[in-house]
Each structure stands twice: as structure tokens, then as C-alpha cells.
């Protein structure tokens, strides 16, 4: 450790070359440097430099430190003063520290002789170190002295130090690598004319004027070109030195010339730097182009490009330098790969060295111990770690990975003696040093402090320190905030570097071993031992590198953010949930040295997972709430994530060594591999037997695994015992988890949590492991990582089984089985067939079904899971299986049991649901299902309930214990009946949308229920429905009929139920809707009449019928929901005509629904008060929608009956049949008769509904009218019927049935209706009420007898006439009111009417009493009129209108509602009106008269 510590101190003090400053060489013949040095140091370092290159973007340098070295006249080297703050890379931003003011160190420029000549230029530019600027310090009092004494040596100095480019000579490219600028500085004392010093433009008359002198110097040396650079500066200084604070570079320096000097220093240094960079880039480009040429040397190219990188670093362009090293790293990778491909037997001199001497020494040290052990030397089997601590080991290269001074790398590179491994380590160390400069000095101080840290394993791998806790014993220097992004980049590069360099190191070791074997074959160890030592050496080196990287990237800000998370991950009572045998063997922290850390709680490991209240699942955002409320520093999340990856690599190295050297499974990967590779039960391990581990253990392949070569103390301590191994592994895992959470890497945090769960499981902390597994299972399920989720669920279930959590255990096992089935399905779909399951799945899961069924029986709750997660290819055969002589039916449910193991269901049931508005559930079940083994399983389900209709599968339930495997169509996205096409008998069924339907139908001889409206309807009585019950082959001992209304507003009066026709023993009908009946013989048909009432007018009602009956085979149920049309199909209109002697009523009978009717009889009945005369119907008559039937009836009143007790309603009885019903009856009879003679008679109740429903939909009103006239129905062709929808229920009989149907339709294309149908007619009784008429007026208009000619009238001649009105109360049928009877002695006021004679004005002029009043009490009254015809021709008599006079006052109520009609006898009488004639000439043709009597005509009139 001493070399690394010394180099680190030099690194921090700025003494090593890698932190060299920009050199400025000064020549001081006037001995004025001591005078100006104090003022100059106060203005250093140079700040705010801006380098604008033609090939690069603008670069800004915040500060630039310089080295002032004397020229030939002085051999002193004085460096710049330190920054204001003591931290390395403090506020100056350069990343360097400088010694205190006045610290000097004498160093000859060349050799030890101060008078030695100039340093010889190295042939490789990257190794040269020359100044960027040369300054000549001049002090002169006047111009004469300058001309006579000082100008000549100044001119010689300028000539000697002018670069070739400024001499206009041929430029050598090598000179540009050492490009520099020169500057003359004239120093003026404070006593001179200071007013003219600043810019040198003052005009003084004296020759001692400094302004005149400096102008003379400019004229002599600046040149005459306009673009010439001003290389002369003048400053004023005080003779007395002042120890003040460093000065800035502000405007105040302009008065004394210092501002101009600082500006020239910056511009000239950047100019020299620009020349050098361009030359380096040209040389590098040239070398790159020669890469494929023979003799190309990568090492020389490397030194050249590193020279450019160091140049960038020297001026503070650290990022550019870092880019150069990145490019060199990539170039080295390509070079080593090409070298490996060549595999030449005699490698050329320019190749890298095959092996590293230090690594070979480490191997030889380990092999010597192994050889001694093999030769029989005695050894303490538990002393490996003690030997490492006591003996003097070879330097661990991992500990000194960042020390670039541990060997002369650059010299080894030039001499081609550096191996590829050392090359990689050197580049990585340089990259880390540059990144640390970009971060800040606190990281360097931590690096220095980590060197002296304790090597105790638990102190080294404390959870908090691994996460980034500060070191309590270090003396931290306060500096600006860390650049955490750069520290994160160091961690990221370290991960890649360790992975890559480990492979290189392995090849390096094997190359060295082969070299030694060729030199001395006697010391060669067996191959397996060599492999063990090499693996251990590589692991030790990688372990040390990762540890050192974690040390240098620690930061206080990250530790502050991690403290709350780490507290949540700790538990003070951690031993509570661990088994006693395991807990007592865990290491106790008190036996190890304590750390004086401020985070003492962080030293405790995770004893058990935190409770959900403290630390819930990482999938939620609860972990974020644990972070401090303050703002998170920029880059903290990136640094946390990258450090987590680095600690993860650290843990992986430990885990691999633990498995290899100790046989200890660690973390979830080990647990997963153990579960998937073996089915052996886990064995308890007694930790007491592992107090000391041997040096050799047996690995998984059955051979010894060696621990020799593990030269890292920390790793050796971890592998010393199993408790120590698991302790450190758990600490690392906790740190990774906390860092991932802080870094917002939630998925990675979940994966790390699985490792904690695995450790808890190894230590038999089942409660803690179950808590973690419960959090992790949803994470892997969401990511669809089935291969990881299955063993995790398996481990979770084992924990729950040990904890006796029955409900959780059953749920987890069910989920495990579901995931396993899902994986098997994926494998089957990918490979085309089911592949063999891995061992752990097929063996362990064989008894899972039996276990969970047994556990569920004792659980408190029931479990319901979707069936499709556990069984595949589920299908329900839609064919019904009937049993002869029994009602009901069976079906077959088929599914495939995928998971290994057997399942014994307790019950299997399925539910069918009707398609339509009326929902009916039909359950089928099997109380003793067979044992379900892997493969296809067929289960028969039965039911004794019959409800014909179309159904779809709604639910399937397989019950085992308290577990129900359920398929619910309403809860799934698709309601498709699961039918697979792999069964040739399974063919597509009738589809409605996406649903495959099941036809449920009874047997032809089975029980049947039908319902229709009552055929005899009386409008004044309650309506009824008729329920037709056919027993079929059943001998019913007793039964019950449930009648329920399925329509709103429908009330069924089952208490008034009557049996029609064949008597039925009704035992009980008192309960609403329940009708119990007794014995019914086979083949009996019972009709029950059930009255009903409605709350509103409806056209159709629905009734639920359910008959439960008991036979010798058990109890059966038949149910149906028929829809019954209750609208009347016959309509009747009546028109009444009152006469004085009789009432004539005209009845118009028509069809109400447009369908033709066949009227068989119509009769209006008589009563006591009325006698009716109507013509009889000789034969049946058809009524069509456009052709109603009219009947006239004469009603005579019996005057002997008084109006009060007279029955005014006459019954109108109509008997009719519906043509549609006749067609249905005829087709049904023909179809059932033919089907009964075939072998498909058992399908009659499946086929007949399809035929009738299709016929009802196909035939139109016009078709039925044609049938009514022709008495024959023509059936549509067979293609018009949906017989193909019966493909599924008919199954194998489908083709034969279709062939029979084609034959039947061909022979029954037309079916005749019977001329006299069976007495299945309907009767409708309508009560017709005789209307009430209070007064009947009989009016007549007669011409006066005094008219000259009554046969014709003369136009314009007044004709006397008389209007006669007679009144009668014959049809006043209303009973006398109580008021009139009580006051019969008081005559009622007369009924007043008014009449009016009406006629068109162009026909008649009416004179006389055209209008008038009269009383109904008068028997008859006449009114004289005068009529004057207005045109010739036959004119109808004028009309008469009689109205009742509106009553007034008290008479209004008595005469309201008085009805009257007029019988006008002169309604159709007419009279001929002619013009008046004086002379008429008539012609007569005797011949024509003899023939047809038309031989006379009027020839002329006057």
C-alpha cells in the first residue's frame, strides 16, 4: 500500500508529471524577476481563456496554471501561487493544487550541470516537454543605454528563440510539436514616469521616457506588417515586495500595464498550443492512414496520441483529453482482437507482450502452496484467510489499479514490453483520473482516505458504506458540490472495464502458464487445479477493482439521500422470524471491530423484510415517499443507479466464488437453477458444521474446487464460512436495492428483491421470504416472465405451506398451475405439439391438485377461478341424448386436462341460458364425475328439466373441495360456445352474432305443455287462457303446475281454474299461481281454463308455465314461456236507422288483423223487450281485408215492456275460423302423419316448429287470401326453410333427415284444406245495445190539393204546400228519473224544438213559415208554405231540419241529453217543373207508334 499512498500524495500535491503545468521560460539578464514575481503570482492562474480552433468548436478554459522556469542565466523554477481554497480542483476549476507561494525546487534543465547545453529533442513528440512561451525581462532607464548596451543581446535572444515559421524559412513539421512564442517585457520601476507607461503612447521629450523606449523596442522587433503581433509589453512594479492577496485580472491592471501583459500571455500561449495541436492531429492522421502498412507500431501511435491528450489536460481541456483516451481504448481493443486472430508462432517485435509478470508471480505463489499440499505437506484446512493475513502476499494489482506510477508504463510501451492487460489498466486509470478532475477534489480526497481504511470484511461491506456513506475518520475539505454525473460515468466505465479486463487477464495468465510450462514442465499442476487458481486470481482482482472504484465514487450528498431508505430496510428485532437453528449460527457483529460511523444503524443486516406498513411493494410509489423532502442533487439518481450496477457486479463475483469454492447457492438465480434442474427435496443444513470451511470442496460436477489464488483479503474473509458469505451477500443486496430505488430503477429493484427473498428462504425465514415473494409475483406477472414467475410462485407456496396459511397457499398454487398451463399452451402452439415438461414441473406438480383440494376443505373461504386458465380445448357437444321412456336429456362436456397430476371433482354442472328477452336457466349436472387425468376428459351431465328453445352455454362449474373452476360467458369478452373443429362430428351450428346455439327439444312421446287464448270469447265476461297438458308416455302419480305472469300488468286467477273436456283431479289451487293435480294416465290430454285480467290494453301476453310431475323414474319438470295473442281478429261496426214502427241495424263484419276469415255463422238474438228478424247464412262466407260482410237486422219493440226493466242488450254471436290456423292445422297433420311413418318420428318436435315458424314468416296476407279462395295452400320449396340450422342437433342423421325433408316437400307441394273443418272454430259474443231515442219526428211535405196539376209545375208559379210534423216517444227506453217520479203530479215543461225548411236558392224560393217552433207534446202540427220553383226539371222537395231548442234557467238540467231524430218521408220525392205553354205542336208517326210506342214528339211550343 505504500507505493500507492506515495503516488497519491504526489498526485494531490501536483508534483508528478501527469499534473504538470504550462511552462513559461524567462530570461532575466537584468535580474528583475524577484522584483516582479510577487505581483505576477497574484495575477495567476490565467483565467477565462478562449481557444478557437479551425477544426474544433470554441473551447473555454476557466483557469490555467503556469510554471515559470528560468532560462540559461538562472536555474530556478518558481511555480504559481496556490488557489484561494485548499481543495484540489477548488473554485479555480482546473483540478490542480499548487504549492504555497515561495516554495521552490531547484532542478537543472538538462543533467546536473547548470551550464549544460540545451535538452536534446526526443524522437517521439509525445514524450517531449518544452515551454509554450519564452519571455525576455528587460530593464532599461533610457534609450541610449538600450541602443548601446541592451539591444544587441536582445536581438540575439530574439533571433535564437524565433520559431522557423516566423523566420520565413522552410518549416520542419517536427518543430511544430514544440511550437512556442516569445515576448519582451520591459519592467519599469515605480519611480519612473508612470503616466506614460500604460500603453506606451505618451509623447515625452526626455530620452528617459519609458514610453519612448518601449516604442523603440516595438519598432525594432515587432515588424512592419499590419498583421504583425505585438510582442512587447511594459509593466510597472514596486521595488518593495508586498504580501497581499492574489489580484484579479480586471480593469485596474491597465494603469500599470499588467492587464496588457496578462492578455499577451494568454493569447501567445493559446497560439503556441494551437500550433502544437494542429501538428499532433496531422501526425495522428498520418499514422492512422498507415495502420494497414507493414511495420506499423501501435505503441508509437499510442504515445503520439497520448501526447495530444496530455496537451489538452495541461491547459484544462480535460474532456478533450478524455475523448482521446476513449479513442485509444477502442483502438487497443481492435488491435488486440487482430493480434488474437493472427495467432502467429513468432510474434513480431511490435506486438504486445503475451503475459504480465506480476500476474504470473501471483499464480506461482498460489501454485507453490498447492504443490506443497499435493506433496503431502500438512496444512490447517481452515487457515486460508489466516495465511493471507500473516504471509507477505504479492501486490494485489486490483488494489493499485489507479496508481499509474507503480511501473514505468510509458517506457514499457515504447519498448514493447507492456501486456494487453497492463495496457487496459493504464488507460482505465487515466480515464478515471480525468473523470475525477471533472468531478471535484472531494473524490480525490476520498480516494486518498480509502487507502488507509480497515480491511475488516464487515467494515468493508457494510450496507451503508457500500451505498455511499461518508468515511467518519477522514478529514474532508469543504469544496464545491460534486459533479455526480461524472462519478456515475466512472462507475459505468468500471463495470465494462472489469468485464473486459477479466477476460484479458484470464488469457494473460494462461499465456504465462504456458510459457512457464515450456520452461519447466516439472512444476506444472493438473489442469483442473490450474483452472481453479486462474479463476480465483481473476475474481480477486475484479473484486478489488470494484471495491476501489466504489471507494473513490463515494459522496456525502448521495449518502444523505440513502439514509431514509436504509433505515426502512433495517430491523432491530431481525431474529424474530428466523428458525432457532439457523439464527444461533449467524455471525454476531459484536465480535468484529466497530466503526465510528454516523450511520451505526446501517451496520445491521436485513434480518427480515419490512412490514407492508413500513416498506410496501416497490411497484408502488410508496418507496419514493421515503426519500427526504429536500431537492435531489443533479446526477444523484444516475450515480445511484450506476453504483448499484457496480455493487451488483461485486456481488456476482462473490456469488460465483461462493458457489464454486463453498457450494453455497445464493440469490434467486441459484434458487431458480436448483428448482429447474432437480426435484430433490431441500435439505436442512446445520450451520454449526460450517464454522471453518476446508480449502477444497466438491463442486457440482463432482470434483474438488480449490480456493488457492484468492489473494484479496476481503474476498477470502467472505468465503471463510457460510454465515459470513450470506451475511455479506445480504448486505450487498440491500445496498443494491436502496440504490436502485433512489436511481428510479424500479424493475431492477424488483429483481434484486428476489435475491433477498432467496436468502431469507435459504435461512428458513419463511415469513420474511413469503413477504418478499408476495411483492415480486405481480412484478414478474406484469412483465410476462413466465420462466421466472413459476419457480417464484413455487417457492412462495412452499413458504406458505410451512407457515400454514391455507387460503394464501391455495391461491398461490392455483396461480402457479394457471401459469404452468399457459406455458404449456405456448409451447404447444410454437412447436405444434405438447413438449415434455421440465422435471420440476412434471414431478412437483403431480400432487398439487390433491394438496390444494385437501387444504381447501379445511379453509374458511371458498375459491372460484376461471376454468379456461387450467383446462384447454373445452367443448360442449350440442347434441341432446334422450333416454327412451324418460323425459329430460343429457349432454357431454369434453375438455383437456393439461397440468400433471389428477383431479377428483366433487361435482360438475353447466348452465344453459335461453336466447331472447325471456331468460330461462337450464342446469345440467353430474354428481359423481370421473377422475380427471392429463389428457382429454369426457363428462356426462344430465337434467330432468325440459324447456324447449334455443340456448347458449352460459356457465360451466367443476367443483373440487371448496375450489370451483368456473367458466362464465357473461364475464368473458366472447360469448362463443367453446366448440373445436378437431372433432369431425362437431359442425357449425345456427349462429346469432358470435353465439353458437343449442336446440333443446323434447321427445315426441314425452310430456308437453301448450297455451293459447280461449276459443269462446264473451266481451262482457272475463277472458281466459287455455293450458293444454299432454302426459305422453308418462304415468303421472301427482304433479304441480306453476303459472306465472311474464307480462307486466297481467293477473292470472288460478283459483278459478276449470278443467275442460277430460276431467282432471285438482287437489289444490288456493295458492296463487300453484295448481296441484292428481293422477294422470298416459296419453291423456288435459285442458285447463284459467281466467286473467289486464291493467292496460295489450295485444300479446307471455305466461311462464312450469309443470313438475312425478313418475316411476323420478321427478321431472317441463317449462315453457309461450306468447299468446289476445287481440280480436274480428271487427264489427253497426249503423242504426229508426222508423216509427221498427229499428233497422246494419252490421258490418271485417277482419281486424288483415288475415282472411271464414265466417260460419252470425246471429243477433231476441230478448223480452225486442224481437229480431235477420236473414240466415245458408253457407260459410270468407271475409277479406277489403271485402267485409254486411248484415241487416230488423228490431221490433214490445210495447208491453216498460223502459225501466227492459233488457236493451242484444247478443250478437259470430262463429268463425282463421285461415292461418286452418293452414297450420292442415300442414301439421300432413307432416306429422308422414313423419310418423318414417324412422325419424322421434324428431317431430324438433322439425315441426322449424317448418311452422318458417311457413308463418314466408306466407303473406295475399297468400292467405289465395288459400281462402282456392282452399289449398302451396308450400314454398325446401330451400326456403332453415333446415341447415339443424345440422348440429341432428349430427350423423343430418343427411338422411334432409333427404326425407326434400322428398316430403316434393310430394306435398300443395295441401288442400278441408271443406268443412273440424269443430275448432272460434266464437265471439258481442252485446249490442239498442240505442235510446227520446223523440222521433216524422215530417212530410205535401203540395196543396188546389194545385192545377200535381204531375208537373210551371216554372216561377207559386205553389201552396204544407209541412206536417208528428212526434212519437216509442224508442224512449230510458227509465224515468227519481225526480220526475217523485213530482209526477207536476207536469214537466214541454220539449221545445225548432224546424227549418232548407233548399238551394237556385232551386226553390220558399215563402210562408219557413222557420218555426213547436212542442214535442203535440201529436201533430202543420205549417203552410209557398214554393216557387226556380229552374226546370225534376226537383227534389225541400229538406227539413229539426233541432232541439237549447234550454235556459232551471230547465237546462232537465232537458240536457235529449236525443231526437227525424224521419222525413218526403226525402226522396220530386216534382217536374216546366215552363208555361200556350200552344204545343205535336208530331205523331203512326208506323213508329205501332212498333215501340215512340212515334209522338213535341214539334213546337209557344
Amino acid at each position: 500500500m505504500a507505493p500507492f499512498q506515495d503516488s497519491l500524495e504526489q498526485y494531490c500535491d501536483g508534483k508528478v508529471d501527469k499534473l504538470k503545468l504550462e511552462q513559461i521560460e524567462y530570461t532575466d539578464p537584468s535580474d528583475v524577476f524577484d522584483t516582479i514575481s510577487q505581483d505576477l503570482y497574484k495575477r495567476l492562474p490565467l483565467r477565462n481563456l478562449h481557444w478557437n480552433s479551425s477544426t474544433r468548436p470554441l473551447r473555454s478554459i476557466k483557469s490555467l496554471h503556469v510554471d515559470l522556469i528560468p532560462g540559461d542565466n538562472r536555474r530556478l523554477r518558481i511555480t504559481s501561487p496556490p488557489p484561494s481554497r485548499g481543495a484540489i480542483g477548488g473554485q479555480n476549476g482546473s483540478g490542480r493544487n499548487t504549492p504555497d507561494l515561495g516554495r521552490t525546487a531547484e532542478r537543472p534543465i538538462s543533467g546536473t550541470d547548470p551550464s549544460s547545453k540545451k535538452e536534446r529533442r526526443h524522437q517521439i513528440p509525445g514524450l517531449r516537454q518544452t515551454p509554450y512561451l519564452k519571455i525576455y525581462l528587460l530593464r532599461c532607464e533610457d534609450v541610449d543605454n538600450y541602443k548601446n548596451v541592451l539591444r544587441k543581446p536582445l536581438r540575439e535572444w530574439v533571433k535564437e528563440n524565433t520559431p522557423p515559421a516566423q523566420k520565413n524559412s522552410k518549416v520542419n513539421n517536427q518543430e511544430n510539436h514544440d511550437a512556442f512564442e516569445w515576448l519582451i517585457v520591459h519592467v519599469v520601476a515605480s519611480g519612473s514616469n508612470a503616466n506614460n507607461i500604460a500603453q506606451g503612447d505618451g509623447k515625452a521629450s526626455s530620452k528617459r521616457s519609458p514610453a519612448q523606449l518601449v516604442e523603440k523596442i516595438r519598432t525594432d522587433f515587432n515588424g512592419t506588417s499590419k498583421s504583425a503581433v505585438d510582442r512587447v509589453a511594459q509593466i510597472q512594479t514596486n521595488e518593495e515586495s508586498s504580501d497581499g492577496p492574489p489580484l484579479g485580472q480586471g480593469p485596474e491592471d491597465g494603469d500599470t500595464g499588467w492587464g496588457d501583459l496578462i492578455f499577451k500571455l494568454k493569447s501567445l500561449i493559446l497560439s503556441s498550443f494551437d500550433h502544437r495541436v494542429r501538428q499532433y492531429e496531422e501526425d495522428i492522421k498520418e499514422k492512422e492512414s498507415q495502420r494497414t502498412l507493414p511495420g506499423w507500431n501501435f505503441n508509437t501511435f499510442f504515445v503520439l496520441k497520448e501526447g495530444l491528450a496530455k496537451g489538452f489536460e495541461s491547459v484544462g481541456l480535460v474532456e478533450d483529453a478524455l475523448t482521446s483516451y476513449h479513442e485509444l481504448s477502442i483502438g487497443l481493443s481492435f488491435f488486440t482482437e487482430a493480434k488474437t486472430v493472427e495467432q502467429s508462432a513468432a510474434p513480431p517485435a511490435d506486438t504486445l507482450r503475451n503475459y504480465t509478470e506480476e500476474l504470473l508471480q501471483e499464480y506461482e505463489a498460489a501454485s507453490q502452496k498447492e504443490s506443497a499440499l499435493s506433496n503431502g505437506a500438512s496444512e490447517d484446512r481452515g487457515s486460508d484467510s489466516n495465511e493471507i493475513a500473516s504471509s507477505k502476499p504479492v501486490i494485489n494489482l486490483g488494489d493499485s489499479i489507479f496508481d499509474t506510477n507503480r511501473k514505468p508504463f510509458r517506457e514499457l510501451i515504447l519498448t514493447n514490453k507492456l501486456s494487453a492487460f497492463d495496457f487496459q489498466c493504464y488507460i482505465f486509470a487515466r480515464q478515471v483520473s480525468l473523470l475525477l478532475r471533472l468531478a471535484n477534489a472531494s473524490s480525490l480526497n476520498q480516494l486518498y482516505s480509502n487507502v488507509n481504511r480497515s480491511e475488516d470484511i464487515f467494515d468493508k461491506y457494510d450496507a451503508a458504506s457500500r451505498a455511499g456513506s461518508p468515511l467518519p475518520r477522514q478529514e474532508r475539505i469543504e469544496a464545491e458540490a460534486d459533479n455526480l454525473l461524472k462519478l456515475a460515468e466512472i462507475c459505468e466505465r468500471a463495470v465494462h472495464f472489469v468485464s473486459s479486463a477479466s477476460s484479458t487477464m484470464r488469457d494473460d495468465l494462461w499465456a504465462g502458464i504456458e510459457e512457464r510450462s515450456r520452461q519447466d514442465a516439472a512444476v506444472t499442476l493438473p489442469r483442473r487445479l490450474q483452472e481453479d487458481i486462474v479463476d480465483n486470481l481473476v475474481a480477486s482482482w475484479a473484486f478489488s477493482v470494484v471495491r476501489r472504484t466504489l471507494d473513490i465514487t463515494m459522496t456525502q450528498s448521495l449518502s444523505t439521500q440513502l439514509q431514509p431508505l436504509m433505515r426502512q430496510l433495517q430491523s432491530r428485532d431481525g431474529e424474530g422470524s428466523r428458525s432457532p437453528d439457523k439464527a444461533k449460527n449467524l455471525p454476531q457483529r459484536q465480535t468484529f471491530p466497530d466503526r465510528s460511523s454516523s450511520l451505526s444503524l446501517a451496520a445491521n443486516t436485513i434480518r427480515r423484510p419490512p412490514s407492508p406498513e413500513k416498506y410496501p411493494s416497490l411497484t408502488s410509489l410508496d418507496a419514493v415517499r421515503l426519500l427526504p423532502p429536500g431537492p435531489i442533487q443533479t446526477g444523484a439518481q444516475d450515480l445511484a443507479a450506476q453504483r448499484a450496477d457496480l455493487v451488483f457486479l461485486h456481488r456476482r463475483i462473490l456469488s460465483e466464488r461462493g458457489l464454486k469454492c463453498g457450494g453455497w447457492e445464493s440469490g434467486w438465480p441459484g434458487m431458480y437453477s436448483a428448482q429447474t434442474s432437480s426435484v430433490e427435496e431441500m435439505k436442512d443444513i446445520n450451520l454449526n458444521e460450517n464454522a471453518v470451511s476446508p480449502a477444497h470442496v466438491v463442486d457440482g460436477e463432482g470434483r474438488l474446487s480449490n480456493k488457492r489464488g484468492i489473494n484479496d483479503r476481503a474476498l477470502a474473509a467472505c468465503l471463510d464460512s457460510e454465515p459470513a458469505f450470506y451475511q455479506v451477500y445480504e448486505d450487498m443486496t440491500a445496498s443494491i436495492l436502496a440504490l436502485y430505488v433512489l436511481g428510479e430503477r424500479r424493475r431492477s429493484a424488483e429483481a434484486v428483491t428476489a435475491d433477498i427473498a432467496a436468502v431469507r428462504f435459504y435461512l428458513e425465514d419463511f415469513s420474511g421470504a413469503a413477504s418478499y415473494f408476495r411483492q415480486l409475483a405481480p412484478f414478474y406477472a406484469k412483465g410476462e416472465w413466465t420462466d421466472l414467475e413459476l419457480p417464484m410462485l413455487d417457492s412462495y407456496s412452499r413458504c406458505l405451506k410451512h407457515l400454514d396459511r391455507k387460503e394464501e397457499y391455495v391461491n398461490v398454487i392455483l396461480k402457479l398451475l394457471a401459469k404452468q398451463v399457459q406455458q404449456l399452451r405456448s409451447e404447444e402452439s410454437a412447436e405444434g405439439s405438447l413438449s415434455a415438461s421440465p422435471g420440476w414441473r412434471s414431478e412437483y406438480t403431480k400432487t398439487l391438485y390433491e394438496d390444494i383440494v385437501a387444504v381447501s376443505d379445511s379453509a374458511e373461504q371458498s375459491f372460484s377461478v376461471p376454468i379456461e386458465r387450467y383446462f384447454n380445448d373445452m367443448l360442449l357437444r350440442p347434441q341432446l341424448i334422450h333416454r327412451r321412456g324418460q323425459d329430460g336429456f343429457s349432454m357431454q362436456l369434453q375438455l383437456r386436462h393439461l397440468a400433471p397430476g389428477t383431479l377428483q371433482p366433487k361435482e360438475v354442472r353447466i348452465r344453459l341460458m335461453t336466447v331472447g328477452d325471456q331468460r330461462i336457466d337450464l342446469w345440467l349436472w353430474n354428481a359423481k364425475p370421473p377422475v380427471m387425468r392429463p389428457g382429454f376428459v369426457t363428462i356426462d351431465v344430465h337434467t330432468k328439466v325440459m324447456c324447449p328453445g334455443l340456448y347458449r352455454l352460459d356457465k360451466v362449474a367443476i367443483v373440487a373441495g371448496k375450489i370451483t373452476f368456473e367458466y362464465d360467458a357473461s364475464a368473458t369478452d366472447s360469448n362463443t360456445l367453446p366448440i373445436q373443429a378437431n372433432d369431425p362430428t362437431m359442425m357449425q351450428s345456427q349462429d346469432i352474432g358470435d353465439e353458437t346455439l343449442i336446440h333443446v327439444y323434447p321427445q315426441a312421446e314425452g310430456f308437453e305443455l301448450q297455451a293459447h287464448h280461449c276459443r269462446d270469447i264473451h266481451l262482457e265476461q272475463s277472458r281466459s287462457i287455455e293450458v293444454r297438458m299432454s302426459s305422453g308416455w308418462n304415468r303421472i302419480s301427482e304433479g304441480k303446475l306453476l303459472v306465472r305472469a311474464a307480462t307486466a300488468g297481467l293477473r292470472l286467477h288460478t283459483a278459478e281454474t276449470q278443467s275442460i273436456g277430460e276431467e282432471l283431479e285438482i287437489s289444490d289451487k288456493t295458492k296463487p299461481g300453484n295448481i296441484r293435480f292428481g293422477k294422470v294416465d298416459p296419453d291423456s290430454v288435459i285442458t285447463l281454463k284459467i281466467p286473467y285480467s289486464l291493467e292496460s290494453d295489450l295485444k300479446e301476453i307471455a305466461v311462464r308455465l312450469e309443470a313438475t310431475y312425478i313418475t316411476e323414474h323420478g321427478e321431472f319438470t317441463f317449462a315453457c314461456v309461450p306468447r299468446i295473442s289476445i287481440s280480436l281478429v274480428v271487427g264489427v261496426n253497426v249503423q242504426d236507422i229508426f222508423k216509427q214502427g221498427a229499428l233497422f241495424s246494419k252490421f258490418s263484419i271485417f277482419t281486424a288483423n288483415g288475415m282472411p276469415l271464414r265466417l260460419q255463422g252470425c246471429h243477433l238474438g231476441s230478448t223480452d223487450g225486442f224481437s229480431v228478424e235477420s236473414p240466415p247464412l245458408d253457407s260459410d262466407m270468407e271475409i277479406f281485408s277489403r271485402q267485409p260482410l254486411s248484415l241487416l237486422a230488423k228490431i221490433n219493440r214490445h210495447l208491453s215492456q216498460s223502459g225501466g226493466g227492459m233488457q236493451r242488450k242484444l247478443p250478437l254471436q259470430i262463429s268463425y275460423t282463421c285461415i292461418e290456423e286452418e293452414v297450420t292445422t292442415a300442414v301439421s297433420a300432413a307432416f306429422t302423419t308422414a313423419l310418423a311413418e318414417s324412422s325419424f318420428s322421434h324428431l317431430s318436435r324438433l322439425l315441426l316448429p322449424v317448418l311452422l315458424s318458417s311457413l308463418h314468416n314466408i306466407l303473406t296476407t295475399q297468400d292467405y287470401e289465395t288459400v281462402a279462395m282456392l282452399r289449398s295452400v302451396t308450400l314454398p320449396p325446401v330451400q326456403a326453410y332453415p333446415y341447415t340450422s339443424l345440422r348440429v342437433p341432428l349430427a350423423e342423421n343430418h343427411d338422411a333427415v334432409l333427404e326425407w325433408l326434400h322428398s316430403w316437400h316434393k310430394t306435398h307441394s300443395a295441401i288442400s284444406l278441408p271443406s268443412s273443418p273440424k269443430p275448432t272454430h272460434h266464437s265471439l259474443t258481442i252485446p249490442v245495445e239498442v240505442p235510446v231515442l227520446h223523440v222521433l219526428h216524422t215530417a212530410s211535405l205535401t203540395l196543396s190539393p188546389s194545385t192545377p196539376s200535381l204531375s208537373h209545375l210551371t216554372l216561377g208559379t207559386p205553389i201552396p204546400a204544407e209541412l206536417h210534423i208528428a212526434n212519437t216517444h216509442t224508442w224512449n227506453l230510458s227509465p224515468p228519473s227519481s225526480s220526475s217520479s217523485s213530482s209526477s203530479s207536476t207536469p214537466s215543461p214541454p220539449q221545445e224544438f225548432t224546424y227549418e225548411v232548407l233548399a238551394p236558392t237556385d232551386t226553390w224560393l220558399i215563402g210562408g213559415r219557413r222557420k218555426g217552433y213547436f212542442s214535442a207534446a203535440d201529436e201533430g202540427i202543420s205549417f203552410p208554405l209557398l214554393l216557387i220553383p226556380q229552374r226546370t226539371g225534376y226537383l227534389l222537395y225541400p229538406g227539413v231540419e229539426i233541432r232541439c231548442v237549447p234550454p235556459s234557467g232551471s230547465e237546462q238540467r232537465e232537458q240536457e241529453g235529449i236525443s231526437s231524430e227525424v224521419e222525413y218521408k218526403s226525402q226522396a220525392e220530386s216534382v217536374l217543373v216546366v215552363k208555361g205553354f200556350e200552344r204545343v205542336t205535336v208530331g205523331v208517326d203512326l208506323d213508329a207508334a205501332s212498333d215501340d210506342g215512340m212515334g209522338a214528339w213535341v214539334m213546337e211550343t209557344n
Side-chain angles (χ1 to χ4, degrees), residues 59 312 316-326 434 438 483 486:
R59 296 287 193 269
F312 285 133
L317 298 178
V318 182
E319 292 184 353
D320 293 88
L322 188 61
T323 303
S324 299
Y325 279 107
H326 295 342
L434 294 176
L438 291 175
N483 187 345
K486 297 303 178 182

Side-chain angles (χ1 to χ4, degrees), residues 912-1095:
L912 305 179
M913 188 173 65
T914 55
V915 177
D917 298 335
Q918 298 293 337
R919 172 170 176 171
I920 296 179
D921 296 337
L922 192 59
W923 284 95
L924 294 86
W925 66 92
N926 189 333
K928 296 181 179 180
V931 178
M932 301 178 67
R933 294 181 173 84
F936 285 95
V937 180
T938 301
I939 303 173
D940 293 332
V941 287
H942 318 280
T943 182
K944 292 184 177 181
V945 179
M946 173 57 64
C947 183
L950 291 177
Y951 289 81
R952 62 176 176 87
L953 179 63
D954 182 60
K955 183 174 290 188
V956 177
I958 300 177
V959 182
K962 290 186 178 180
I963 304 173
T964 302
F965 301 91
E966 188 176 52
Y967 166 79
D968 192 350
S970 60
T972 57
D973 296 335
S974 176
N975 292 332
T976 306
L977 176 69
I979 294 181
Q980 299 294 332
N982 52 6
D983 191 343
T985 63
M986 297 295 100
M987 292 172 290
Q988 202 57 258
S989 170
Q990 177 182 355
D991 291 340
I992 298 180
D994 293 332
E995 299 177 330
T996 304
L997 303 183
I998 302 173
H999 294 257
V1000 176
Y1001 61 95
Q1003 301 185 65
E1005 299 85 358
F1007 189 89
E1008 185 180 14
L1009 276 179
Q1010 293 180 348
H1012 53 81
H1013 201 263
C1014 186
R1015 297 181 179 276
D1016 299 328
I1017 301 175
H1018 196 293
L1019 294 184
E1020 284 193 335
Q1021 298 177 2
S1022 298
R1023 297 191 185 185
S1024 305
I1025 60 173
E1026 293 181 359
V1027 178
R1028 183 177 179 272
M1029 184 168 56
S1030 176
S1031 62
W1033 56 33
N1034 297 285
R1035 184 177 297 278
I1036 301 174
S1037 58
E1038 60 176 331
K1040 179 178 66 174
L1041 177 64
L1042 299 180
V1043 184
R1044 296 287 186 272
T1047 301
L1050 174 63
R1051 297 181 181 273
L1052 298 171
H1053 307 289
T1054 55
E1056 303 176 9
T1057 303
Q1058 298 178 0
S1059 176
I1060 302 176
E1062 186 174 349
E1063 291 294 333
L1064 175 67
E1065 180 185 353
I1066 300 178
S1067 59
D1068 185 13
K1069 58 180 179 178
T1070 57
K1071 293 183 179 181
N1074 292 347
I1075 302 174
R1076 294 185 177 274
F1077 55 90
K1079 181 179 179 181
V1080 179
D1081 296 331
D1083 299 326
S1084 299
V1085 178
I1086 306 298
T1087 303
L1088 299 178
K1089 183 178 180 181
I1090 303 176
Y1092 72 90
S1093 61
L1094 292 172
E1095 296 180 357

Side-chain angles (χ1 to χ4, degrees), residues 1137-1144 1194-1197 1336 1370-1371:
I1137 303 173
F1138 286 92
K1139 298 295 183 181
Q1140 190 170 6
L1143 170 63
F1144 294 90
K1194 180 180 180 182
I1195 302 174
N1196 298 315
R1197 178 184 176 185
L1336 176 61
T1370 303
W1371 299 103

